[in-house]
């Protein structure tokens, strides 16, 4: 047996290693193929993802994980047990083939039933996958738009829709669990009951002398071994089914990648030189998400080589579409585009994009250093040196910005460049374009976030750089056009005007003329003649800029003037209010679905009634502080606190109530966690690379199973706790059923040797076997289903609790590297699914094994304490090996998860920014980066399989050595006549039975380790401090913000403690109900100041106050309900337009009504566009919905801000993406609000937003350097404002 133990150890180690390696190989293969396949998909494929690209990516990562888990141990065990079953059946057939067939006669029927049940599980698996994709989508968007969620108090809504999706996913999983439990119970019954029919036929064989009793018993036991081996596969069925479903889905995606590649996008022509002549001839195009709307309609342009040409137009006119088509992001619907006379579709795509640079308004930066983000402009980016980028830095005027960064060019910009302001990101993007220096440059609103003087300086630098090169500038700001530069004017996808600036300004209805008059504070509409009269005087076609074919004439300074009656009314005049009112009355039904429960009326501090916003815009006096004791009048359901392990030392206790099926408050918990210090610096300096965790952190990665399972009881209601108790009671019944069956079955077989009353005894014990089989089957079904259900409830409770606590964390928490969006969503999705197995699959199995082992050991001690003690003497060695196996498995599982997350992070970053990556032809770089990451993950997986397999082999072989020791000492006892043979054999059976149970537990250790590691990560989130940040320190509620005072304010973002403070000793008073304009260069702290006003970041006590009350004493949700913000980069949620506008408002609020939503859209100048959509206000937008232009998104954000009727409106560069007409509408809105006593804080670089203002504050390097009326400040010869606007330079 010693030799057998050695051989068994080696074979089992090899078995374990190879199957784990096989799972890793499957994961790597799918990852690589998927990445490569998706990388080749056109933009239409990305646009048509119903739930958005990021939700799809997150779901794909989970499916890869499910495939890997299924193809590792479960498949190996399934094959092992299948071989065992076949071998046992072969043995049974050898001794009695006819008895074997009779015994297994019910197997075909059973197979049909099991196959039918498995088929019924598939729709539930698919439906659950869809709902989990929605969960990921909701969580991903809530975390991505955390500023919007907090500013508009949308936490309750986000939590509600997430919990609803979680409950729907749980419903479909419970259908799977029920089906799987029925399979297990059914097989259990068939397994035990089949021997009754076999017994009767075996009796016949013995009576007729065809077989002796020994042959019949051998056949019986062989059949029993076969059925038990098959039964061992069933607990793995859900894992195998989910893996099969995941594999089928991934296979379908891969098939789609290979079968639906668009040949139309291919081209092979690579000219030796790019001159830069571009002709767009009669092009029509519609985006895949809006096939019924033409973004361009029979549009024609000519961009001559070595010249600068402008495209201007209002938001949504099709300007950016031109750039997208020139980059060949999309295929043309009709028409042609020629580059140097070559049809663009015939050109090699890489050659084309290496000769064209597109800089978009939303400048995308990658999660790397500033230097590397600039270096990505060159194909040979790896060879770029610091001195190579100096010219690019000067062109973008990036020197001063870099000087303020803690590590200069080596400063990490964060995911998406979130560590930089909008203007700083645009500068880096321009520097990248300068280093790239292609023959053709397209700037799409590339300087919209820069202040006036910076914009002018950058534009002049760009003109100097681009002299003699083809440059296309897309903008809504005609002031950027020089006198001798050519411009096209677009409206609704049609080229309506074109010509040189000087000529266009002479046209009374032209946008340049209107723009010019608007800066003279004239009403641009007052001098407009009647459109009908004007149309009669417009020539049909005049001399125009010639096409590419005819060449260009220097004398063609006239314009081709296409003008329609509707254009005069839509582009250069305000929307007719009376017409909109009529249309509003006709379309007033079902704008906002009744979706929100009583959550929206709940406040985040229970016991204090929500103060509804004031019903009108009239002036009101600030109320005195409410009794702060109201905020502490809360009673929560008492429950058990459980300490949870936490690798970040966030010691906390969670208390959970009922399952979240009623309100968002069901899981309200009283947290005693250590509050997060959002003001203190992070440990260590800003790293250039991820800091390697210390040994102590590694050791704390996975919580013990006991501590994890202790969180189950508090998460359940009393009814659910009864289900849990019933589940473990049935587990006890199931555990006792095995020895009872053995006893009854032995009695049944003993009737072979009975002659008197043989039939009666056989009938008695046959019915006893059927009774035991029935009880065991029912117990198995109830046990598996109830524990899976309790496990699902437990995990869903923690999911919702984690989501609630994450949304409650201060804004600084989301800036930390360990709290990346991909990591958080992965914890809520994949980790939760794996965590459920601890209770649903493993807890019952371990409980049964421990119970049966305990019974066997106690029984053995009673029968032969000597032999039992000898066996138990080896227990410490077995425990040591098992614990070592568990520790090694957990350690490597954690490492594998980390590298897997790294792969997922690169996957997400690549396809979230696919447009920029393609524009820069960085597909190869990110493909190599991803392959390097998957190779590292595969290497780590192989090391994990090697170490885990080695310790599995040691643990398994140790059991055989213990078995040999038991037999050896038992033989000594028999030879010395200390015990009789029958007694020793009985103890042998009991101890071997116990060893078998221990062996089964050892086989589950890797899967348990996987669930344990993932559970720890979810528990970290569910045990985060709740209501412990600066957002919950105050209880005073104001009716309006009142006077806002900054006193000696110093501030820097917690994620950048080593950087130069953004705000330095700031003293500033913002009077109540006044309009104030904040002006300053990019990075001067303007947007940071607005974030502090909204309480997104903590300030030092006493440095910021409202109406005389320090912000730390105020109830922030109430304060935020009085303030609305329009951010520079608005984030639209994946919902309808009406839901986006009414976001965060209680359903019962009058502000959330359909009429209020329409009125807000009208004020924002977006009403006409919304009504033009087929579904109107019910149109889905955001990720996975209808695509909107930057200006359209900004106007919806304005509507979202004004619908709340705030007491203070913050406009942070709210007109940066708007055309002059729309910007004039915003100015008119500000004027109206000011007249109604609403305070307005404007952050802007636009002169039009400053003109006529009584209070203009100029910031520089975080300090107030100038303040006064606009005219007064402009009158200062060397004033800072005058300098910023480009008029103070000698």
């Amino acid at each position: 047996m010693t030799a057998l133990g050695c051989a068994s150890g080696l074979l089992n180690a090899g078995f374990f290693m190879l199957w784990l390696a096989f799972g890793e190989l499957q994961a790597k293969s799918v990852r690589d193929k998927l990445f490569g396949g998706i990388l080749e998909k056109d933009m239409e494929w990305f646009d048509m993802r119903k739930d958005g690209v990021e939700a799809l990516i997150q779901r794909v990562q989970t499916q890869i994980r499910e495939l890997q888990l299924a193809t590792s141990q479960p498949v190996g065990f399934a094959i092992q047990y299948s071989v065992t079953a076949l071998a046992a059946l072969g043995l049974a057939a050898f001794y009695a083939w006819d008895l074997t067939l009779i015994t297994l006669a019910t197997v075909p029927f059973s197979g049909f039933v099991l196959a039918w049940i498995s088929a019924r599980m598939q729709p539930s698996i698919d439906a659950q996958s869809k709902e989990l994709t929605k969960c990921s989508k909701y969580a991903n968007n809530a975390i991505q738009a955390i500023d919007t969620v907090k500013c508009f108090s949308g936490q309750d809504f986000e939590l509600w829709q997430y919990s609803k999706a979680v409950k729907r996913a749980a419903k479909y999983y419970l259908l799977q669990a029920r089906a799987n439990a029925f399979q297990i119970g059914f097989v259990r019954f068939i397994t035990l009951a089949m021997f009754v029919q076999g017994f009767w036929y075996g009796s016949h064989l013995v009576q007729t002398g065809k077989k002796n009793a020994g042959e019949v018993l051998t056949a019986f036991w062989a059949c029993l071994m076969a059925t038990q081996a098959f039964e061992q596969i069933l607990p793995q069925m859900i894992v195998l089914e989910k893996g099969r479903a995941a594999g089928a889905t991934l296979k379908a995606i891969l098939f789609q990648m290979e079968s639906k590649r668009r040949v139309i996008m291919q081209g092979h022509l690579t000219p030796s030189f790019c001159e830069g002549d571009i002709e767009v001839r009669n092009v029509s195009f519609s985006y895949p998400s809006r096939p019924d709307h033409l973004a361009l309609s029979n549009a024609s342009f000519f961009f001559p080589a070595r010249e600068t040409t402008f495209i201007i137009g209002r938001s949504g006119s099709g300007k950016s579409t031109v750039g997208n088509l020139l980059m060949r992001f999309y295929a043309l619907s009709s028409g042609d585009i020629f580059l140097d006379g070559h049809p663009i579709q015939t050109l090699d795509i890489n050659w084309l994009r290496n000769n064209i640079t597109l800089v978009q308004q939303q400048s995308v930066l990658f999660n790397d250093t500033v230097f590397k983000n600039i270096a990505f402009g060159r194909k040979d980016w790896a060879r770029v040196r610091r001195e190579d980028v100096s010219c690019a830095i000067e062109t973008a005027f990036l020197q001063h910005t870099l000087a303020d960064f803690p590590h200069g060019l080596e400063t990490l910009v964060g995911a998406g460049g979130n560590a930089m302001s909008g203007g700083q990101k645009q500068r880096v993007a321009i520097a990248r374009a300068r280093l790239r220096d292609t023959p053709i440059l397209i700037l799409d609103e590339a300087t919209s976030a820069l202040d006036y003087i910076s914009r002018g300086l950058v534009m002049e630098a760009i003109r100097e750089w681009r002299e003699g090169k083809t440059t296309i500038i897309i903008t809504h700001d005609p002031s950027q056009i020089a006198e001798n530069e050519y411009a096209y004017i677009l409206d609704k996808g049609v080229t309506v005007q074109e010509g040189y600036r000087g000529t266009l300004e002479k046209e009374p209805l032209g946008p340049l003329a209107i723009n010019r008059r608007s800066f003279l504070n004239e009403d641009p509409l007052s001098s407009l003649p009647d459109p009908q009269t004007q149309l009669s005087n417009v020539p049909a076609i005049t001399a125009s800029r010639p096409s590419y074919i005819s060449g260009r004439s220097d004398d063609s300074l006239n314009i081709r003037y296409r003008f329609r009656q509707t254009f005069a009314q839509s582009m250069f005049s305000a929307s007719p209010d009376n017409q909109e009112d009529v249309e509003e009355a006709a379309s007033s039904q079902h704008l906002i679905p009744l979706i929100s429960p009583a959550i929206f009326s709940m406040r985040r501090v229970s016991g204090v009634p929500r103060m509804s916003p004031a019903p009108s815009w009239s002036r009101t006096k600030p109320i005195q502080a409410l009794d702060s004791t109201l905020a502490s009048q809360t009673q929560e359901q008492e429950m058990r606190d459980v300490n949870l392990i936490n690798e970040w030392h966030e010691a906390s206790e969670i208390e959970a109530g009922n399952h979240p099926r009623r309100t968002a408050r069901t899981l309200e918990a009283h947290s005693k966690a250590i509050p997060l210090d959002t003001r203190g610096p992070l440990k260590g300096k800003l790293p250039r690379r991820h800091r390697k965790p210390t040994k102590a952190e590694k050791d704390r990665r996975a919580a013990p199973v006991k501590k994890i399972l202790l969180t189950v009881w508090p998460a359940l209601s009393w009814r659910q706790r009864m289900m849990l108790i019933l589940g473990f009671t049935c587990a006890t019944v199931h555990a006792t059923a095995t020895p009872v069956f053995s006893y009854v079955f032995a009695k049944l077989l003993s009737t072979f040797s009975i002659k008197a009353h043989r039939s009666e005894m056989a009938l008695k014990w046959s019915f006893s076997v059927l009774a035991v089989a029935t009880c065991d089957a029912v117990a198995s079904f109830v046990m598996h289903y109830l524990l899976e259900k309790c496990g699902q409830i437990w995990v869903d409770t923690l999911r919702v609790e984690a989501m609630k606590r994450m949304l409650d964390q201060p804004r600084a928490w989301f800036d930390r590297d360990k709290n990346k969006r991909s990591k958080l969503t992965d914890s809520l999705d994949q980790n939760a699914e794996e965590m459920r197995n601890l209770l649903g699959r493993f807890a019952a199995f371990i409980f049964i094994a421990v119970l049966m082992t305990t019974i066997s050991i106690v029984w053995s001690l009673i029968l032969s304490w000597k032999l039992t003690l000898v066996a138990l003497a080896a227990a410490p060695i077995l425990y040591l090996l098992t614990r070592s196996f568990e520790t090694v498995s957990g350690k490597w599982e954690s490492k594998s998860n980390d590298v897997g997350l790294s792969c997922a992070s690169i996957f997400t970053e690549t396809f979230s920014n696919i447009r920029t990556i393609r524009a820069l032809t960085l597909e190869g770089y990110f493909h190599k980066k991803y392959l390097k990451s998957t190779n590292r993950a595969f290497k780590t997986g192989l090391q994990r399989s090697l170490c885990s397999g080695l310790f599995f082999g040691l643990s398994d072989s140790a059991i055989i050595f213990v078995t040999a020791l038991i037999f050896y000492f038992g033989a000594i006892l028999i030879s010395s006549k200390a015990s009789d043979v029958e007694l020793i054999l009985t103890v042998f059976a009991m101890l071997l039975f116990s060893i078998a149970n221990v062996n089964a537990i050892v086989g589950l250790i890797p899967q348990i380790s996987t669930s344990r590691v993932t559970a720890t990560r979810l528990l970290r989130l569910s045990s985060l401090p709740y209501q412990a940040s600066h957002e919950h320190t105050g209880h005073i509620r104001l009716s309006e913000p009142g006077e806002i005072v900054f006193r000696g304010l110093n501030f820097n973002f917690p994620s950048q403690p080593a950087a130069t403070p953004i705000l330095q000793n700031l003293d500033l008073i913002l009077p109540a109900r006044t309009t104030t304009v904040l002006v300053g260069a990019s990075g001067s702290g303007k947007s940071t100041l607005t974030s502090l006003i909204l309480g997104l970041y903590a300030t030092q006590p006493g440095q910021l106050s409202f109406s005389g009350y320090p912000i730390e004493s105020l109830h922030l949700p109430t304060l935020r309900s009085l303030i609305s913000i329009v951010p520079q980069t608005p984030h639209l949620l994946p919902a309808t337009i009406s839901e986006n506008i009414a976001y965060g408002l209680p359903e019962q609020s009058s502000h959330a009504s359909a009429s209020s939503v329409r009125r807000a859209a009208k004020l924002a100048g977006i009403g006409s566009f919304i009504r033009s959509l087929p579904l109107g206000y019910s149109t889905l937008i955001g990720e996975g919905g209808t695509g909107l232009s930057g200006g359209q998104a900004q106007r919806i954000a304005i509507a979202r801000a004004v619908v709340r009727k705030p007491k203070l409106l913050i406009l942070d560069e709210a007109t940066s993406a708007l055309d002059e007409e729309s910007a004039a509408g915003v100015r008119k809105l500000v004027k109206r609000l000011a007249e109604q006593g609403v305070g307005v804080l404007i952050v802007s670089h636009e002169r039009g937003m400053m003109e006529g203002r009584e209070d203009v504050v100029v910031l520089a390097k975080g300090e107030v350097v100038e303040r006064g009326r606009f005219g007064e400040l402009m009158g200062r010869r060397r004033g800072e404002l005058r300098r910023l606007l480009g008029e103070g330079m000698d």
Side-chain angles (χ1 to χ4, degrees), residues 429-485:
I430 292 171
R432 182 167 59 198
R434 176 65 181 88
L435 183 67
R436 190 172 177 82
D437 197 19
T438 53
I440 301 170
L441 173 67
I442 304 173
L443 299 178
D444 187 357
E445 302 283 8
T447 59
S448 61
L450 300 181
D451 58 87
Y452 187 86
I453 186 66
S454 297
R455 185 184 309 165
L457 291 172
V458 170
M459 285 301 299
E460 285 303 315
I462 290 175
R463 281 189 170 92
E464 181 181 349
W465 155 40
R466 298 300 299 174
E467 186 175 358
K469 299 177 182 177
T470 305
T471 307
I472 302 171
I473 300 178
I474 299 170
T475 181
H476 63 268
D477 181 12
S479 66
Q480 298 184 21
I481 309 175
E483 186 72 20
N484 62 342
E485 289 176 330

Side-chain angles (χ1 to χ4, degrees), residues 265-387:
M265 300 299 290
Q266 300 301 317
H268 304 287
L269 187 62
T270 57
S272 57
F273 179 75
C274 179
E275 182 73 18
D277 267 315
I278 301 174
E279 182 182 8
V280 179
R281 186 186 301 169
N282 302 323
V283 166
S284 295
F285 173 77
S286 60
Y287 285 99
S289 59
R290 293 186 65 193
D292 56 338
H293 173 76
L294 286 176
L296 289 178
S297 177
N298 199 33
S300 297
F301 309 90
F302 174 55
F303 307 106
R306 298 179 296 281
E307 293 190 18
T308 297
T309 309
F310 283 79
I311 301 176
I312 62 174
R314 65 192 299 174
S315 303
S317 60
K319 306 186 300 295
S320 298
T321 303
V322 177
N324 290 333
L325 294 180
L326 291 178
M327 297 298 296
R328 267 180 60 188
F329 289 149
Y330 300 93
L332 299 176
S333 300
S334 65
D336 297 290
I337 298 179
F338 298 93
L339 175 58
D340 293 343
H342 304 291
I344 198 170
Q345 64 269 19
T346 65
L347 297 172
D348 178 77
I349 191 68
N350 286 324
W351 182 91
L352 177 73
R353 291 173 181 169
N354 281 323
N355 283 278
I356 302 178
T357 297
L358 173 63
V359 182
Q360 296 174 305
Q361 180 179 3
Q362 304 300 332
S363 304
V364 173
L365 302 184
F366 303 106
N367 190 18
D368 217 305
T369 63
V370 176
F371 173 77
K372 201 164 187 179
N373 270 280
I374 297 175
F376 279 145
R378 287 245 300 257
K379 289 190 296 184
D380 58 341
W381 57 267
R383 298 181 180 179
V384 174
R385 298 169 299 172
R386 294 175 68 91
E387 49 268 26

Side-chain angles (χ1 to χ4, degrees), residues 383-626:
R383 298 181 180 179
V384 174
R385 298 169 299 172
R386 294 175 68 91
E387 49 268 26
D388 295 333
V389 303
S390 58
C391 182
I393 291 172
E394 291 174 3
T395 300
F397 288 87
L398 200 58
Q399 308 95 311
H400 298 298
T401 300
L402 292 174
D404 291 335
F405 286 167
H407 302 289
L409 277 171
E410 297 304 316
T411 301
L412 288 170
V413 303
N418 58 12
M420 308 180 76
S421 69
Q424 291 168 342
K425 287 193 287 186
Q426 284 192 337
R427 289 174 189 268
V428 173
I430 292 171
R432 182 167 59 198
R434 176 65 181 88
L435 183 67
R436 190 172 177 82
D437 197 19
T438 53
I440 301 170
L441 173 67
I442 304 173
L443 299 178
D444 187 357
E445 302 283 8
T447 59
S448 61
L450 300 181
D451 58 87
Y452 187 86
I453 186 66
S454 297
R455 185 184 309 165
L457 291 172
V458 170
M459 285 301 299
E460 285 303 315
I462 290 175
R463 281 189 170 92
E464 181 181 349
W465 155 40
R466 298 300 299 174
E467 186 175 358
K469 299 177 182 177
T470 305
T471 307
I472 302 171
I473 300 178
I474 299 170
T475 181
H476 63 268
D477 181 12
S479 66
Q480 298 184 21
I481 309 175
E483 186 72 20
N484 62 342
E485 289 176 330
Y486 206 86
Y488 289 91
I489 302 173
L490 283 182
D491 180 58
K492 297 181 179 178
V494 177
T495 308
V496 294
Q497 284 184 326
E498 63 177 271
Y500 293 94
R501 172 172 179 147
T503 308
L504 291 174
E505 284 182 338
K506 297 176 183 179
E507 296 299 325
L509 292 182
L512 270 70
I514 291 178
N515 179 72
R516 191 174 186 178
R517 286 196 297 273
S518 68
F519 282 108
L520 298 176
N521 292 327
E522 298 178 3
D523 184 355
L525 302 177
S526 61
S527 61
L528 288 181
D530 180 72
Q532 295 290 350
T533 305
Q534 181 69 18
L535 278 172
S536 64
N537 299 324
V538 175
I541 297 180
T542 61
S544 64
R545 186 183 195 167
S547 68
Y548 171 77
I549 299 174
S550 60
R552 177 169 181 173
S553 171
D554 293 335
D555 299 329
S556 58
L557 298 181
N558 295 324
I559 63 168
R560 177 178 45 168
Y561 199 93
R562 302 176 192 165
F563 195 81
R564 298 177 300 169
Q565 178 181 359
T566 55
F567 177 72
Q569 296 175 345
S570 62
M571 184 170 181
F572 303 133
S573 63
S575 300
D577 294 344
N578 56 345
Q579 177 185 354
E580 187 162 348
D581 292 338
V582 171
E583 293 184 21
E584 282 178 3
S587 61
S588 61
Q589 299 179 355
H590 311 299
L591 293 184
I592 304 177
L594 301 178
I595 57 172
S596 57
I599 277 180
F600 290 106
S601 63
M602 310 291 292
R603 291 313 304 149
R604 301 191 69 77
V605 176
S606 59
V608 182
R610 178 189 179 101
M611 172 181 275
S612 300
S616 69
W617 296 63
S618 60
R619 295 175 181 263
T620 58
K621 295 181 180 180
I623 64 170
Q624 297 299 322
L626 297 177

Side-chain angles (χ1 to χ4, degrees), residues 106-160:
T106 55
V107 169
F109 171 73
S110 301
F112 172 79
V113 171
L114 295 177
W116 179 77
I117 294 175
S118 295
R120 299 276 291 181
M121 289 172 63
Q122 187 59 45
S124 298
I125 294 175
D126 295 338
Q128 185 203 13
S129 179
K130 290 180 181 179
E131 293 300 332
L132 288 176
T133 300
K134 289 183 180 179
C135 291
S136 298
K137 175 182 174 180
Y138 293 145
N140 182 74
N141 279 277
I143 297 168
Q144 184 179 16
I146 190 62
D147 287 354
T148 301
V149 172
K150 286 181 174 292
C151 291
F152 291 91
S153 300
Q155 294 96 327
D156 285 339
F157 173 74
E158 295 295 341
L159 182 63
W160 176 79

Side-chain angles (χ1 to χ4, degrees), residues 483 628 661 713 796 944 1128 1221 1248:
E483 186 72 20
S628 60
R661 55 170 179 259
W713 188 261
D796 288 347
R944 167 187 168 233
Q1128 182 176 357
E1221 180 209 354

Side-chain angles (χ1 to χ4, degrees), residues 740-757:
V740 171
F741 172 77
S742 300
Y743 174 78
V744 174
F745 189 57
K747 289 292 186 182
L748 179 63
L749 295 180
S750 66
T751 58
F752 281 126
S753 58
I754 300 176
K755 296 183 178 179
H757 305 291

